[in-house]
């Protein structure tokens, strides 16, 4: 069944009603998404297998972003985040892009790269060429390590050999390029790099030190573009404000860090919800932002002929569907099911689309009413709850917190005390 990501009034439902509505809209069976709502009974045992010295688990809210159309297909997008306004902003901007057909994407083949560092080479330039001469042998050796990956159509595809001049040393660095198919790929490429190392050392005439993937992942880019409707954004001045905000980020690394953080609010939330490695994706993204030698904006904005905002984003996207927490964590499995993606490349495309929507959402708020207004409602609820408000008290405290100006814990406590005194 084709998914319909338009869920009018979704935000007004209770969490349980939202789960049923999302299950129905995505054509899944009742219960398919239940792990998103309640942790599996054996979650501690699962966690105990995932990392060391486990004592418990930490719950992060999972919301569903609506309205996403990506390459003509609708998606309901699970997002795991502790930050208010993120899911709402992504959903809103997806509906603004939807007016112009949604998001258009492309993704490179899932090529990951591992590095083998060779030290103590007497003739680095000649060693570099000796390694290239042995490429076929090295690729065959790499592929012997992972027959399943080769059977699935992946495997080692090529090498690159670089000479890295470091302070006081020259390293010969072999890159092994591997098509990791639907895996994130760290395990596959690290195993291959370790297996190649003795032969690489022999050919290069040096000693191998590191054998590990690079999180730069610039062979595995995902790209997205979308047109955001001028009027739905709030008019020409808001569009102008967004473009000025982008130019600021493009020119200034202090602003670029925050601008890109807004993009990562969306990206990391989907990466985390699907059990992928958030730090790997973040490292790759920030490295890409500095690819020119100067840290700058990951996204770009232009104003189209018709006055609408045209946004583009390109980010390395090392995410997978097989292996790791994506397969072992029940909530991550349910998140992938909800998304309905069938390849790592398709997941990468969804992730970058959310990143672009998130970026526009933040810039729109900054260019229009300012970021605090949107943040404040949920923030006020958190503050009210932290001050001890329960049930209906929460909304009563929020209303008075918001009218009184500053949303602060001490004010919430005082308001709550007044409310309770008035009732007793
Ligand atoms: C807050 O989490 C993200 C923003 O700071 C991003 C931005 O400034 O573009 C609002």
């Amino acid at each position: 069944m084709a998914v319909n990501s338009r869920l009018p009034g979704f935000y007004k439902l209770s969490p349980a009603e939202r789960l049923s509505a999302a299950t129905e809209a995505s054509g899944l069976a009742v219960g398919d998404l239940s792990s998103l709502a309640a942790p599996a009974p054996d979650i501690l045992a699962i966690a105990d297998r995932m990392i060391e010295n486990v004592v418990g688990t930490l719950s992060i809210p999972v919301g569903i972003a609506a309205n996403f159309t990506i390459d003509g297909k609708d998606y309901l997008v699970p997002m795991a985040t502790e930050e208010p306004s993120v899911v709402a902003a992504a959903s809103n901007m997806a509906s603004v892009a939807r007016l112009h057909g949604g998001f258009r994407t492309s993704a490179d083949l899932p090529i990951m790269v591992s590095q083998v560092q060779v030290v103590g080479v007497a003739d680095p330039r000649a060693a570099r060429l000796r390694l290239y001469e042995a490429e076929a042998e090295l690729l065959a050796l790499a592929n012997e390590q992972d027959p399943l990956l080769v059977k699935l159509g992946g495997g080692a595809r090529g090498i690159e050999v670089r000479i890295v001049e470091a302070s006081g040393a020259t390293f010969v660095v072999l890159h092994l390029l591997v098509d990791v198919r639907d895996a994130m790929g760290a395990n596959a490429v690290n195993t291959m790099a370790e297996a190649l190392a003795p032969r690489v050392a022999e050919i290069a005439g040096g000693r191998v030190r590191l054998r590990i993937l690079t999180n730069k992942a610039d062979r595995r880019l995902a790209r997205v573009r979308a047109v955001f409707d001028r009027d739905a954004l709030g008019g020409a001045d808001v569009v102008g404000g967004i473009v000025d905000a982008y130019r600021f980020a493009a020119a200034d690394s202090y602003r670029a860090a925050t601008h890109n953080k807004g993009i990562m609010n969306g990206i990391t939330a989907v990466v985390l919800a699907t059990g992928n490695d958030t730090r790997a994706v973040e490292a790759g993204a920030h490295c890409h932002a500095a690819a020119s030698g100067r840290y700058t904006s990951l996204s770009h904005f232009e104003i189209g002929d018709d006055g609408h905002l045209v946004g583009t984003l390109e980010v390395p996207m090392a995410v997978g569907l097989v292996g790791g927490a994506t397969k072992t964590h029940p909530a991550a499995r349910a998140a992938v099911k909800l998304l309905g993606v069938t390849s790592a490349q398709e997941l990468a495309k969804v992730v970058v689309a959310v990143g672009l929507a998130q970026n526009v959402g933040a810039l729109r708020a900054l260019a229009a009413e300012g970021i605090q207004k949107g943040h404040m409602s949920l923030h006020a609820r958190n503050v009210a709850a932290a001050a001890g408000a329960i049930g209906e008290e929460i909304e009563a405290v929020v209303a008075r917190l918001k009218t009184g100006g500053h949303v602060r814990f001490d004010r919430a406590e005082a308001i709550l005390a007044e409310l309770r005194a008035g009732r007793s």
Side-chain angles (χ1 to χ4, degrees):
M1 180 191 124
V3 175
N4 178 4
S5 69
R6 299 261 316 131
L7 297 173
F10 192 58
Y11 70 97
K12 293 184 197 152
L13 305 176
S14 70
E17 289 166 339
R18 290 190 196 114
L19 199 71
S20 320
T23 305
E24 198 175 318
S26 45
L28 295 172
V30 175
D32 272 354
L33 303 181
S34 55
S35 316
L36 285 173
D42 53 350
I43 194 70
L44 211 53
I46 295 168
D48 201 26
R49 286 194 295 271
M50 288 174 71
I51 65 164
E52 308 73 37
N53 299 357
V54 166
V55 295
T57 58
L58 171 72
S59 299
I60 298 284
V62 178
I64 297 177
N67 303 322
F68 275 88
T69 297
I70 302 168
D71 301 321
K73 180 175 163 191
D74 271 21
Y75 293 87
L76 288 169
V77 187
M79 299 178 75
T81 180
E82 87 301 343
E83 182 166 331
S85 306
V86 163
V87 178
S91 305
N92 289 341
M93 290 308 114
S95 71
V96 173
R98 198 180 175 95
L99 297 171
H100 295 267
F103 300 85
R104 269 95 180 178
T105 68
S106 54
D108 291 340
L109 285 173
I111 301 284
M112 291 299 278
V113 176
S114 59
Q115 298 189 290
V116 181
Q117 177 199 20
V118 194
V119 303
V121 177
D123 53 354
R125 273 159 196 82
R128 178 172 173 267
L129 298 201
R130 286 198 297 277
L131 286 164
Y132 272 118
E133 287 155 28
E135 179 168 8
E137 177 198 341
L138 293 172
L139 294 184
L141 188 55
N143 282 330
E144 275 172 27
Q145 312 308 313
D146 202 334
L148 179 62
L149 181 63
V150 173
K151 196 167 150 219
L152 292 170
R157 289 286 180 265
I159 62 167
E160 272 172 0
V161 191
R162 300 166 53 230
I163 294 174
V164 175
E165 303 286 358
S167 55
T170 298
F171 305 128
V172 175
V173 179
L174 177 119
H175 284 191
L176 178 70
L177 281 56
V178 183
D179 182 332
V180 296
R181 296 284 88 196
D182 289 325
M184 182 273 186
N187 281 334
V189 301
N190 292 342
T191 304
M192 287 180 178
E194 288 188 5
L196 289 193
R199 184 71 185 119
V200 169
E202 202 174 32
I203 297 168
R207 201 171 139 216
V208 163
R209 293 275 196 198
L210 305 193
R211 297 143 292 161
I212 185 78
L213 90 166
T214 168
N215 287 118
K216 186 165 172 174
D218 59 354
R219 301 294 183 123
R220 201 178 183 180
L221 300 177
R223 305 172 200 83
V224 57
R225 71 186 169 89
V227 175
F228 297 87
D229 189 81
R230 177 195 55 199
D231 299 326
L233 284 172
D237 192 52
V238 173
V239 171
I242 293 174
V243 172
D244 276 344
Y246 153 65
R247 288 188 182 129
F248 185 11
D252 176 40
S253 60
Y254 283 93
R255 175 56 208 156
T258 322
H259 177 100
N260 292 341
K261 191 270 185 183
I263 295 172
M264 300 315 288
N265 276 345
I267 288 183
T268 300
V270 186
V271 172
L272 182 60
T274 56
N276 273 287
D277 184 340
T278 53
R279 289 86 55 220
V281 171
E282 281 162 5
H286 293 294
C287 189
H288 197 62
S292 67
R294 186 176 68 82
Y295 186 89
T296 185
S297 168
L298 280 166
S299 59
H300 298 275
F301 291 97
E302 301 158 316
I303 301 180
D305 282 347
D306 38 19
H308 300 302
L309 180 73
V310 183
T312 55
L313 174 66
E314 185 183 79
V315 193
M317 197 45 66
V319 288
L321 292 178
V322 295
T326 307
K327 272 282 182 257
T328 53
H329 198 290
R333 280 206 304 273
V336 170
K337 203 168 227 179
L338 172 66
L339 268 176
V341 291
T342 55
S343 69
Q345 276 174 306
E346 189 183 0
L347 175 59
K349 292 171 174 186
V350 173
V351 174
V352 285
V354 176
L356 181 62
Q358 204 70 57
N359 187 209
V360 178
L363 299 186
R364 197 209 64 79
L366 290 168
E369 72 269 7
I371 207 76
Q372 287 309 79
K373 186 165 171 260
H375 261 289
M376 272 312 146
S377 301
L378 275 171
H379 177 56
R381 253 177 237 138
N382 284 334
V383 171
I390 44 172
E392 289 174 1
E393 286 174 343
I394 293 183
E395 289 311 319
V397 172
V398 166
R400 289 178 56 182
L401 267 179
K402 288 207 287 194
T403 50
H406 297 291
V407 176
R408 283 197 328 252
F409 182 76
D410 57 329
R411 285 196 59 234
E413 272 189 326
I415 294 169
L416 183 63
E418 275 170 36
L419 276 176
R420 286 183 177 169
R423 243 190 275 122
S424 59

